Amino acid sequence: MILVKKVNIQKLTAPLKMPSHMEINGNQEVIVDGCSGVLEYDTDVVRIKTGKLIVRFTGRGLVIKCLTADSLVVAGFLTGIEFIV
């Protein structure tokens, strides 16, 4: 007799809090996967939440080109990226 136990995958992966993936294309564009919300949005500052981390982009002429449920694209002239715990 084979016993099969059902396992809740979400319960197993929840403590892992998979890290976000960030792709930086020069100083013109940043693609962030794992974004859970936009906290601040201006032409000089974009601040987002990614799990337990807050990421702050600074620059000139910043725009959010694309925003989905878990990712976003920030474009413009990027001058800084700050990681806030």
Side-chain angles (χ1 to χ4, degrees):
M1 177 187 258
I2 298 174
L3 294 175
V4 178
K5 183 178 180 183
K6 291 185 179 181
V7 177
N8 185 344
I9 297 296
Q10 290 177 340
K11 193 181 258 189
L12 289 175
T13 58
L16 297 177
K17 295 286 185 192
M18 299 304 278
S20 300
H21 173 81
M22 186 180 304
E23 184 177 319
I24 303 169
N25 297 320
N27 66 341
Q28 302 295 312
E29 183 179 71
V30 176
I31 303 165
V32 181
D33 292 327
C35 174
S36 58
V38 177
L39 303 174
E40 181 180 1
Y41 178 46
D42 196 357
T43 57
D44 297 330
V45 176
V46 175
R47 199 163 45 101
I48 62 169
K49 181 120 174 97
T50 59
K52 295 181 180 179
L53 191 67
I54 294 173
V55 183
R56 182 175 184 248
F57 302 101
T58 54
R60 294 189 303 268
L62 300 181
V63 293
I64 296 177
K65 280 179 41 178
C66 181
L67 178 64
T68 65
D70 64 348
S71 66
L72 88 152
V73 178
V74 177
F77 187 79
L78 293 161
T79 57
I81 300 174
E82 184 178 4
F83 300 93
I84 305 163
V85 180

